[in-house]
Amino acid sequence: MKNDKKEYKQKDFYFEHKEKKYEVVHERIIEGAKLHFHDYLEGELILEGETIQYINDYKTHLKKGSFSLLRPNIDCHSIDVSDIDIFKFYIKPFIVDEEIWKEVSLLPNPLTVELSEEELEHAINLFKILYYEQTLNGKYNELIVKNTLNSLLCLFIDKKLGQDDNTVKRVSIINYLLENDRYLTDVSLQDFAQDFGYSLSHASKYFKENAGMTFSEAKQFFRIQYAKRLLLSTDHSNNEISSMCGFNYYPLFHNLFKKSTGMTPFEFRKSNK
């Protein structure tokens, strides 16, 4: 694997699009990168060396065994000048299982965990499988890639949940919206309060404190994420997707989508196809 590694000077960019559904690289990074974000999910596993990374407003110290995730159109990040040996994957979210992607979307910043020696060895082996499979085009290649990516993300989620007790509560609350795709219905904060036995005011405060957003903001967030998936993986029209995502008024969907992503639904689909 060492012979396949390349030296890589990261360019300054704000938004980058990957043509492939997924890509895995093993490289030595010898320079940093200014603040930027992606339209794909990026995973970083540090094999050797140390550096400082900023994810949104969070400063994280990366070293051997650090495993980070950067979510598409959500997480802006930059990295200091460094000399690190690193595995990276770049994937389109629709490749992995939807439930796993929902869990990743809910995790609070910073999305970095520290792996034990045993966990690091396991993660490296999974990266090696991905690295090898991307060179093939066999009958079961896509299935192997998907299962391996799911395993990597599950490793990250389990580690993150184990390191942060508040995350467990956060995921439990948000799962109320995800269960049976409630976020696509007209479910309200009042329904949440009634189902959990809270007063309306306590439910509002409790949800925001533990989820990091209001009930309506959470509904909107998951509707927009679902819309992205539909835009990338189906041929439904924008109006149809608006309706499928629970928006009865297309201009509202159009405006909220642009506010969330910086692009109209049409521009998002065109730039990611």
Side-chain angles (χ1 to χ4, degrees):
M1 189 64 66
K2 291 290 184 181
N3 293 333
D4 296 319
K5 185 173 57 178
K6 63 180 180 181
E7 288 193 358
Y8 175 61
K9 291 188 176 182
Q10 290 186 324
K11 300 177 181 178
D12 298 340
F13 54 88
Y14 179 63
F15 190 91
E16 180 177 317
H17 169 65
K18 290 284 179 181
E19 294 277 336
K20 302 177 182 178
K21 289 183 179 180
Y22 93 98
E23 182 179 7
V24 179
V25 295
H26 178 214
E27 57 198 11
R28 177 189 173 204
I29 297 179
I30 57 177
E31 287 190 4
K34 293 183 179 180
L35 192 66
H36 62 283
F37 69 97
H38 312 274
D39 63 340
Y40 49 85
L41 176 67
E42 178 178 340
E44 303 173 338
L45 181 64
I46 306 297
L47 306 179
E48 296 291 344
E50 297 184 21
T51 190
I52 299 295
Q53 179 169 244
Y54 297 86
I55 304 178
N56 298 324
D57 295 325
Y58 296 88
K59 177 181 178 180
T60 54
H61 177 217
L62 304 182
K63 58 185 185 297
K64 181 179 179 179
S66 296
F67 186 13
S68 299
L69 293 181
L70 302 157
R71 294 164 296 191
N73 303 314
I74 298 176
D75 297 321
C76 293
H77 79 117
S78 63
I79 191 168
D80 284 353
V81 174
S82 58
D83 186 352
I84 53 176
D85 188 6
I86 187 171
F87 258 133
K88 286 186 179 184
F89 66 66
Y90 309 98
I91 63 172
K92 296 293 184 181
F94 61 81
I95 297 177
V96 301
D97 285 346
E98 186 170 356
E99 289 303 313
I100 293 176
W101 173 240
K102 287 178 180 178
E103 293 282 357
V104 172
S105 299
L106 291 173
L107 295 173
N109 280 313
L111 289 192
T112 300
V113 298
E114 302 300 329
L115 303 182
S116 66
E117 286 292 333
E118 184 177 353
E119 291 167 337
L120 176 58
E121 182 179 357
H122 178 51
I124 290 174
N125 287 334
L126 292 175
F127 267 95
K128 286 181 177 180
I129 292 173
L130 291 174
Y131 191 92
Y132 175 70
E133 289 293 331
Q134 71 183 343
T135 66
L136 305 176
N137 191 28
K139 181 178 179 180
Y140 300 106
N141 175 253
E142 187 172 338
L143 178 62
I144 294 172
V145 168
K146 181 175 182 177
N147 288 339
T148 306
L149 286 169
N150 286 336
S151 295
L152 266 174
L153 293 180
C154 285
L155 170 64
F156 184 95
I157 293 168
D158 288 344
K159 191 69 175 179
K160 183 66 176 176
L161 292 177
Q163 290 182 356
D164 188 352
D165 292 336
N166 290 331
T167 303
V168 178
K169 186 181 292 186
R170 173 189 172 94
V171 171
S172 175
I173 292 172
I174 296 290
N175 274 343
Y176 175 80
L177 283 176
L178 299 181
E179 186 178 5
N180 298 321
D181 294 328
R182 277 197 185 99
Y183 66 94
L184 295 177
T185 71
D186 59 358
V187 66
S188 66
L189 177 64
Q190 187 170 355
D191 296 320
F192 172 78
Q194 183 175 343
D195 290 343
F196 279 77
Y198 298 147
S199 68
L200 191 60
S201 59
H202 179 69
S204 177
K205 180 180 179 182
Y206 185 79
F207 194 97
K208 187 171 184 179
E209 284 182 349
N210 291 287
M213 64 185 87
T214 67
F215 188 86
S216 60
E217 287 170 343
K219 275 184 64 176
Q220 178 180 308
F221 172 81
F222 288 113
R223 286 181 174 187
I224 296 299
Q225 294 302 313
Y226 183 49
K228 291 178 184 178
R229 182 181 291 269
L230 292 176
L231 286 166
L232 295 179
S233 60
T234 74
D235 293 324
H236 291 300
S237 70
N238 293 344
N239 277 299
E240 289 173 332
I241 290 175
S242 172
S243 179
M244 292 169 69
C245 293
F247 296 98
N248 297 322
Y249 184 55
Y250 178 76
L252 174 61
F253 166 68
H254 181 278
N255 292 337
L256 290 175
F257 191 93
K258 186 172 183 179
K259 182 179 179 180
S260 174
T261 66
M263 293 181 285
T264 66
F266 174 79
E267 291 168 340
F268 181 84
R269 172 176 267 169
K270 184 178 180 180
S271 67
N272 287 278
K273 283 294 187 179

